[in-house]
Amino acid sequence: MPENQTKEQKKIILSGIQPTGVFTLGNYIGALKNWVAMQDDYNCAYMIADMHSLTVRQEPAKLRQQILSAFAVLLACGIDPKKSLLFFQSQVHQHAELAWVLSCNTQFGELSRMTQFKDKSAKHADNINAGLFTYPSLMAADILLYQADLVPVGEDQKQHLELTRDIANRFNNLYGNTFTVPEAYIPKVGARIMSLADPTKKMSKSDENQNAFVTILDQPEVIIRKFKRAVTDSDMVIRYQEGKDGINNLMSIYSAVTGLSYDQIERDFEGKGYGDLKLAVGEAVVEHLRPVRESYEKLMKDKAYLESCYREGAEKAASIAERTMRKVYKKVGFVGR
Ligand code: ATP
Ligand code: LTN
């Protein structure tokens, strides 16, 4: 990007993350690290998707703690509130407002085809609520409110993004040009970090098995222990190749945190065993996450600073969102407010 490109000319990025647990190394390598890296080249808006997390039953006191903690983690990872918009979804009322209008422009059949809805309703058969079903309309609102050009998401969210594009195009055709039609942005590195307990499954913060994931805030000894226990295979050679899911995963984590190529890692570990690799990965992850955890601990002690950041974030976000919302209400025929 040319250096003289102004803030106004940069493309707009929006992404969100649900505060449903402590963020994992998977969230960090697959999403947060890229969010931080994109701040200089794009106009970024990052959101704690607290409203989305209500689609699954949450305990209120715990949720509040997780939301605040998630905000501090994003700051600790390097999201800079001077460069990027950082806010809580629930503090910008336009999200709920636009979600309603968009849900009236989303078809039952479209929502029924969403694989996340099918998966989550199977998993939470006792609570298949309307929010779980209309979740993609709220996600579309998050994105379209900010006229985002690009949306960094993982594979699992691509279908929701396709639907967002369909909704935006439909609305634009029906009411005249209103929304930027966004594109998915799939970051190059760290696409999928796998579970340490079952390397054929994605590492996920809601996994019931605590040994399956490392969180950004785990203490060094916990990180080392979890890596020592990581499931591998019965082979002995450290090589990145098909069928060696456990070793491939360890190598991809090691590469993500050290910047070393697979070739280099294979050379460095020639003649060494799996135990050596596990320890080296554990130690590299500990060192990589140390400054994040230390900064997080400081931030959590300064509630006044956190509050000033999220208040300001919500205010700035609302002023952008309100511009879109006025346009939308006018287009659909409401009397202006
Ligand atoms: P949950 O367990 O609550 O479903 P999750 O840990 O799978 O959550 P999400 O909140 O769905 O994470 O995802 C947040 C972001 O982190 C998304 O951009 C997603 O692509 C990314 N992400 C999540 N897990 C991984 C992973 N294992 N590897 C790489 N990226 C990941
Ligand atoms: N559904 C996403 C979180 C999310 C999001 C968004 C991502 C909510 N709104 C808008 C990108 C853009 C998830 O569960 N990972």
Side-chain angles (χ1 to χ4, degrees), residues 16-18 20 24 26-27 30-31 120 152-157 190-194 202-207:
I17 187 160
Q18 293 195 55
T20 41
T24 67
N27 297 132
K120 289 213 173 168
V153 279
E155 283 291 319
D156 57 326
Q157 298 297 319
R192 243 163 107 81
I193 302 300
M194 310 310 278
K202 158 187 123 138
M203 182 182 285
S204 166
K205 59 176 130 65
S206 58
D207 201 309

Side-chain angles (χ1 to χ4, degrees), residues 75-126:
L75 290 175
C77 286
I79 303 294
D80 179 349
K82 290 196 191 73
K83 290 185 191 161
S84 305
L85 262 183
L86 180 61
F87 61 97
F88 297 137
Q89 185 184 29
S90 64
Q91 293 189 347
V92 181
H93 59 79
Q94 288 84 355
H95 288 254
E97 291 178 337
L98 184 58
W100 174 253
V101 176
L102 297 184
S103 72
C104 298
N105 287 279
T106 310
Q107 300 303 305
F108 181 86
E110 290 176 311
L111 293 172
S112 311
R113 282 194 287 277
M114 294 295 116
T115 51
Q116 182 179 285
F117 173 69
K118 290 187 226 167
D119 292 348
K120 289 213 173 168
S121 20
K123 207 167 153 197
H124 306 276
D126 56 337

Side-chain angles (χ1 to χ4, degrees), residues 14-18 47 49 52 135 139 142-143 151-153 157:
L14 179 128
S15 200
I17 187 160
Q18 293 195 55
M47 180 190 82
H52 277 97
Y135 177 119
M139 181 158 159
D142 301 336
I143 297 165
V151 183
V153 279
Q157 298 297 319

